[in-house]
Structures are given as structure tokens and as C-alpha cells.
Amino acid sequence: MRHIISVLMENEPGALSRVVGLFSQRNYNIDSLTVAPTEDQSLSRLTVTTSGDDARIEQITKHLNKIIDVVKLVDLTEGAHIERELMLIKVKAAGAQRAEVKRSVDIFRGQIVDVTSNVFTIQLTGTGDKLDAFITALGDNVVLEVARSGVSGISRGEKTLAL
Amino acid sequence: MDQLSGGEMLIRALHDEGVDIVFGYPGGAVLHIYDAIFNQDKVEHILVRHEQAATHAADGYARSTGKPGVVLVTSGPGATNAVTGIATAYMDSIPMIVISGQVESRMIGTDGFQETDMVGISRPIVKHSFMVQEVKDIPHIIKKAFHIATTGRPGPVVIDIPKDATDPKQKEKYEYPKDLKLRSYAVPDKGHTGQIKKAVDALLLAKRPMIYSGGGAIQDNASEQLINFTQKLGFPITNTLMGLGAYPASNKQFLGMLGMHGTYEANMAMHHCDVLLCVGARFDDRVTNSDTSKFCPDATILHIDIDPASISKTVTADVPIVGAVAAVLEEMNDQIDKSDKEVDKQALKVWWDQIGKWREKDSLKVRPSENGIIMPQEVVKAVFEITEGDAYVSSDVGQHQMFAAQYYGFDKPRRWINSGGLGTMGFGFPAAMGVQFAFPEAVSVCITGEGSFLMNQQEFATCMQYQLPIKIICLNNQALGMVKQWQDMQYGGRYSHSTYAESLPDFSKLAEAYGHVGIKIEKSDELYPKLEEAFALKDKLVFVDVQVDPNEHVYPMAVKGGAMKDMFLSKTERT
Ligand SMILES: Cc1ncc(C[n+]2csc(CCOP(=O)(O)OP(=O)(O)O)c2C)c(N)n1
Ligand SMILES: [Mg+2]
């Protein structure tokens, strides 16, 4: 099963490589990874999506917790949560194609953020599934380049991942 | 408050941590630190002859004393030479501090002379690591490093120091921090009382109980608690290779070591038990055999470990208890005393009768030697007798190691000094040096194989410089015996690159070349007298080259892919 694990870690050099290293060292897979500083200067938040059965996920969270730089973590998929990913996608848009692409963008509630006579650059946020669906909807031979941020997530309600 | 350079701070901080000995080897990036060492006399530095030996010596010191071992190496090749020793300590959870020099900060990333990314290289084999950014951080980093290395599940910590951070020209205020705040590091202490109660209830209901204790009981100095607990219940107990000595081998409740080369009775009792209490061990594949689905099929598994990640890693625990072994056992002892239940004496008697039958197999019986050929097991037995079972015994990796573990009955913890997890050939000799530095008056024996010994033989020179009277007992079978044994058993006796009889050195002459004593033993009737002669030379390093039967195998031996009850008992007998 797919899991989204969010990790608060010390904003120290080397912290990220310890987390990433753990995954390769123990043969755990990383489907996506995002990391950025938080409102607290001393902490950064990393979100990793991975998959495995319960025993494997338990090992992953235990080993993450063992890393000295890791302060706290949560497996968001254990409860109600919101997940989002940002995609910037460059597509062919010339002639008759322009209107059609524009329609798809509207349906998926994306935004066209840059335009040339032949190309649209579109910004879209949503779950990974939604982004995948958009790419499929565009059809073959349209997509020129895709940049996805990886999944970021937060739990619903009053629960927080903070010190 | 003193004004100190980074190099001086480092040494002062080590002293403030209670360190009195450092094993190391100099080079460009650490010359400022070496100058700081020269100018003081509180911390003694031991010059080894290879950085790997520095780490193993520090490791032997740590295993025998329980205190952290400290290593100092230069950047680049100095640091990479230390890697095997760091990995060895990591696998066996040994507290160690490795200080490595680094090129100057402004040079980092330029492929400077002797630059290597030590923090990166060592990352998967350390508990934690630090890169010093500023001189003023040094005392804090040392404080944190020792705290992390020695608490919880111990392990090695690397501190990488760029050369400019130790420059004598830059002085800063030095004050050693008293307390430490590490918000992201908490050490479990006592176990959960409810879980402990569940475990005690299961133990008191058991009909065929078994205790299996490992390195964790030694690390946590929990021998006394383990003995009280085991004797209060009257249950059988086995130790892992890492756990030997935590429970006295001479006690009748001890079934010997378990696992790949464990005794018949220990492995049979494991397989047939109905409640298994694991005390600070980690269900390693050399214990469980490779297929864990066949492991202890009838047992309820109770697991005490300080590291939550060790629990249910390879074998699922029915009752996990996260906590320090000594504290948990103490609480278990209390709860047993207070419990309204009692051990099922009737069932226990039936169980001991069964174990008695397994014991009758006498799986460690030594095949009598023929034509004066010396059996390797006899050598270990002789060393045991001559040292009255009271030596510190380090070992390397191979058949000799298993013979040492099987035949030297350890009655005390921290006496058996061995690379269990990584299985590092070359570990034994430098580790014996670390032991001898820690206990100058004690008998420090290294039971080795000629293959392993050749991997760190340069330390003969260190032993001469510091007059270390180590006794090296080399079970010389003129081959990489354990490799050969596997080739006998699994590769039709094709000895691919496991023999080299024609190119072995004359070890006693080699020892003599360094100024030590060399003794060669070739016939079984010379064994006792010559060994006695060696041990009588109290202030000398003696290398005893014992020519043993080159065809002997280690038994029992687990059948690959089987359960713990599946063992070869000799070349012709299998369970
Ligand atoms: C550094 C290292 N390289 C290779 C091995 C694999 N290995 C395990 S036992 C062994 C043979 C050891 O020979 P020796 O020291 O003579 O011991 P014996 O088995 O003959 O008693 C080898 C090569 C190892 N454990 N460590
Ligand atoms: Mg050999």
C-alpha cells in the first residue's frame, strides 16, 4: 500500500542525505520526495511517498525515527489528510490545438502561466492521480515537458505535526 | 576561561569526557591536533601501524571495558582505512568515537590532496556524524558525540574536522558543556510495565520455556540481572556469539551457544520451546537460519530490546518490550516475586529431561586425533585450562573463531572480544591490543587463524613499541578453513582460492623479526608443555603457531534453509 510519511528534521547539513540514504541502504523505495524549510527556521519538513506492507512501513518509520536529525514524523495515510502535488507542464498548442488544450486546462482547473505562439505552460495542483489524469486527457504527442513537485501533505482537522 | 585552539580543545574535551587513551595515526590534516597531543600528558596516544588496527584496538578497548573507544586518523586514506573498523563496531553496536581530519574548509569540494567525503562514506555505518564548521562548536560536538555513541543502542560516531578548525593561530574560549539538549534523541530506559507483565505471565505459563540472550545483555551490563532471573525461574538459557559470558558457561542451566554452529541441545531447545524470551539479541540470520518461517514454530516470542527497530524486524514479536535490558529484567524479577502464578515445575522437569537427552548427544565431542595430529578444538581447550578460563579472548573470523566460541567457556561478560555482525578477519590481533591497554595485568589472548592474522600482522610493531605481552594462538590449518569447509560441503570439494600452504610465512620467525617470541607446535604431545611455556612468558608477546588438522570441520552446522533443529553433526551425521 502507498504511504505518505511527513518528517520534521533538524535543518542541518547532511540531514537530508541521511534520510535518503536510509531508503537506498535498506532497499525501501521512494516514489516521491519533497523537502523545504518550515515556519521554524531550525526545522525542515520532508515528505516521502513510499509503499510496502504494514511490517515494512513499520520498519521504515522506526528507522526514520532512529536518525538523530529526525525530530518527529507522521504517517499521513493513517488518518484523514490532504495531499497535493504541483505540476508545471509544457504542451504543444498551435492552431486548432490551442482551444482544445485550453478546455482541458479549465476542466482540471489549471492555469496557463506562460504562452508562446506554439506552446502553453500550464500549472496544475492536485493529487497525484489528478495530475496523471490530466496528462492522459491531453492525449499523445502533446506533452513537451513535465516538472512535478512530488507529494506534499498535511493531516485534516486539528492534528498537527509540530514540536 | 581558557583560550584554546581547535586542536587543543579537542584533546581537552576528550580529557573532560574521561578519555585517557586514543588510538591513531598522523597525517597532514591532523598535524595541528598531533601538536596539541604533544603538548599535554593527560590523554595518551597510541601509534598503531594501520588505521584499521586503530579502530579495532579502540573497539577491543570498548568491548572489554564498556567505555567508548577513541580513534584519530587523517583525511583521505587515513579515513578510508578506518572504514572497516567503523562498520565492525556499527554491526555490533560498540561505542566508538572516530575523529577524522579533513582538508581545509575552503578546499572542500575541490578534490584537494587527500580529500574524501568521510561523512558521506561512513554515513550508512555510523550512529551519527558531525562535520565541524566552527572552532567554537568543538566542545559541544564532542559532548554530543559521546552522549550519542554511548547511550541507547551504542554505536560509532564520526567527527570530521577540517584542518583550519584546529589551527593553533585561532584561539577561542573553552568551556566544556555540562548539560546537553538533543530534542530529537531520546533514550528508552525502563520497559512498559504492562508489556512486562504480559511477558511474565507468558513465562509463568510456559511448559517449555527458553531464554536466548545476546550482545544487548553485555552492552547494558545486565549479567547480574540475567543470572538472577534465569536462576529464579530455573529455565534453560543459551547465548548468541555476541552474548557469550553474559550467563556463565559453567552453570548447568546454560545450553551453550546457539545458531549456525551452536550446540545440538541449544538449537533443539530453541526449535521446540513454547515460550521464547529474547534478551537483547536481534534474530540474526546466523541464529534463526535463513528461512524465518521455520523458526521456533510453537513459540510465543517475547523480545526485550533497547532499539525499537530491532523488534519484529526479521521475526515478529508477540510481546515486544522496548527498554534497557538490565532495567527490564529487574522489573521482571520483581513482578515474578509478586505474581500469584508460579513456574509449572512439573512441566519444567519434563522439559529438562528432554534437554538432558539432547545433551547426551555430546555435540561438541572432539574426534580423537590420529598420528599426533593436533585437533584445533583441543588447542582451545588447552588454552582454557592453562588460563583457568579467566583470560580475555579475542578472535578473528573462520573455523578458529567458532572453535574458540564453542570450547572456551566464558563465565564472565566482556571477556569474549569478537566481530560477530560484520565478521571482520583481521579484527582479533588489534582488538587484543585494545584489551591489553585497558587491562595491562590481564591475560589477553588472541585465538586466530593464519589467514586472518595476515590481515593485520603489521601490529607486531605496535606491540613491540608498547611492550604488549599478548598471547597469539594461531590455529594454523594452512587454509582459509571456513571457506574450504563450505567448499567441501557445497561445492564438491573444489578449493577455489582457499589454500596457500606453500606460501605461508614461518610465523615464529616473523614474530622474532619484530623482537617477539615465536613458538611452533606440531605434535599433540607438545601441545600442553609448549602452551604452558608460552603463557609463562608473562611480559612477552608470544606467537604460538599451532599446526592443526587441516581437514577438520566445525560442527554442529546448520543445514541451509532448514529450521534450527536441522543440523549436520559431523561429516557423516545429520539430524
Ligand atoms: C575481511 C574478510 N574477508 C573475507 C572474509 C571471508 N572469510 C570468512 S572465514 C575466512 C577464512 C579465514 O581463514 P583463517 O583466518 O585461516 O581461519 P580458519 O577458518 O582457517 O580457521 C574467510 C576468507 C571475511 N570474513 N573477512
Ligand atoms: Mg586457516
Side-chain angles (χ1 to χ4, degrees), chain A residues 10 13-14 17-18 20-22 24-26 40 42-43 58-59 62-63 65-71 163, chain B residues 90 119 123-130 133 144 148 153 182-185 307-314:
Chain A
E10 299 287 355
S17 74
R18 285 182 222 278
V20 176
L22 168 71
S24 62
Q25 181 185 347
R26 294 196 181 263
D40 177 341
S42 67
L43 291 172
E58 187 181 322
Q59 278 294 309
K62 282 173 167 180
H63 278 291
N65 265 317
K66 259 178 90 171
I67 296 176
I68 311 281
D69 289 328
V70 168
V71 184
L163 286 191
Chain B
Y90 181 72
V119 167
R123 199 207 65 239
I125 51 165
V126 294
K127 185 167 174 189
H128 195 55
S129 46
F130 296 91
Q133 312 276 357
K144 279 189 204 165
I148 291 169
R153 181 176 181 175
L182 270 173
R183 62 180 171 184
S184 60
Y185 178 73
D307 176 10
S310 276
I311 291 177
S312 298
K313 182 175 63 181
T314 59

Side-chain angles (χ1 to χ4, degrees), chain B residues 8 15 50 148 173 205 221 234 296 349 388 413 440 457 476 478 496 537 539 542:
Chain B
E8 290 163 341
H15 175 64
H50 188 297
I148 291 169
K173 277 199 209 98
L205 286 173
N221 299 314
C296 296
K349 183 175 177 308
E388 294 170 345
Q457 53 168 317
N476 189 343
Q478 308 188 13
S496 181
L537 293 169
D539 339 316
V542 185

